């Protein structure tokens, strides 16, 4: 079982001094400062329509991107995988989903024939594809963890 699968997410909610709902405690999976900036754009803290639409839009985007990644793994299309990793890295960074962002960045690098840090060349396609397969499995778990936390935050079933 991967490290991501073993992590537990504490879903207890914090309350700010003003009494508004804050982000659930979730370790280093979600950057609270970044997510709080999204929440500040809500007109109404009770329904949080604006932030909810952004978060649920991300859920749809991530699911679609994961499917495209699977398809491109089967085709061995590293350039497309790099592009998809870059795309989802940006979306997850906007919400402060740090672990998802970091894994997507690795996929971006592997697809560009680099190591996880993006600094060392890796010329072997098979090595890059295998690294992407493993990282995609991890990022799906990381995604499911934050999806569960955020759905609970918005009082939706996970």
């Amino acid at each position: 079982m991967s490290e991501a699968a073993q992590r537990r997410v504490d879903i207890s909610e914090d309350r700010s001094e003003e009494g508004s709902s804050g982000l659930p405690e979730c370790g280093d999976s979600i950057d609270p400062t970044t997510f709080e900036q999204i929440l500040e754009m809500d007109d109404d803290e009770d329904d949080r329509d604006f932030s909810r639409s952004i978060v649920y839009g991300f859920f749809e985007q991530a699911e679609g991107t994961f499917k495209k990644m699977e398809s491109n793994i089967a085709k061995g299309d590293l350039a497309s995988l790099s592009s998809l990793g870059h795309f989802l890295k940006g979306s997850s960074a906007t919400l402060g989903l740090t672990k998802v962002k970091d894994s997507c960045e690795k996929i971006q690098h592997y697809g560009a024939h680099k190591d996880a840090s993006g600094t060392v060349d890796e010329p072997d396609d098979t090595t890059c594809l295998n690294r992407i397969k493993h990282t995609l499995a991890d990022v799906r778990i990381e995604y499911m963890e934050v999806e569960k936390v955020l759905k609970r935050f918005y009082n939706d079933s996970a």
Side-chain angles (χ1 to χ4, degrees), residues 63-137:
E63 291 293 335
T65 303
F66 292 149
K67 288 177 185 171
K68 289 177 185 176
M69 286 179 174
E70 290 288 349
S71 172
N72 282 289
I73 287 172
K75 292 188 267 185
D77 188 345
L78 289 170
S80 291
L81 287 161
S82 180
S83 177
L84 290 165
H86 176 75
F87 171 72
L88 199 54
K89 175 186 77 173
S91 300
S92 55
T94 299
L95 294 175
L97 310 181
T98 52
K99 290 193 180 221
V100 173
K101 173 192 64 84
D102 292 345
S103 292
C104 288
E105 184 172 36
K106 288 179 186 177
I107 291 171
Q108 176 187 354
H109 292 318
Y110 296 147
H113 289 93
K114 300 284 184 183
D115 69 344
S117 68
T119 58
V120 178
D121 290 339
E122 175 50 68
D124 185 62
D125 286 358
T126 303
T127 298
C128 293
L129 282 170
N130 285 332
R131 288 176 177 169
I132 289 171
K133 285 178 194 176
H134 288 99
T135 306
L136 181 57

Side-chain angles (χ1 to χ4, degrees), residues 21-86:
S21 266
L23 181 65
E25 185 60 42
C26 51
D28 56 354
S29 294
I30 301 176
D31 175 47
T33 303
T34 303
F35 194 76
E36 207 42 61
Q37 290 173 346
I38 301 294
L39 296 179
E40 288 173 6
M41 292 186 240
D42 283 320
D43 289 330
D44 183 351
E45 288 184 8
D46 292 331
D47 61 29
R48 297 205 176 275
D49 287 336
F50 180 77
S51 65
R52 178 191 306 263
S53 69
I54 292 173
V55 168
Y56 279 76
F58 172 77
F59 292 161
E60 290 177 21
Q61 186 180 76
E63 291 293 335
T65 303
F66 292 149
K67 288 177 185 171
K68 289 177 185 176
M69 286 179 174
E70 290 288 349
S71 172
N72 282 289
I73 287 172
K75 292 188 267 185
D77 188 345
L78 289 170
S80 291
L81 287 161
S82 180
S83 177
L84 290 165
H86 176 75

Side-chain angles (χ1 to χ4, degrees), residues 11-24:
I11 57 167
S12 63
E13 286 194 9
D14 294 330
R15 298 280 175 190
S16 70
E17 290 177 15
E18 299 83 35
S20 65
S21 266
L23 181 65

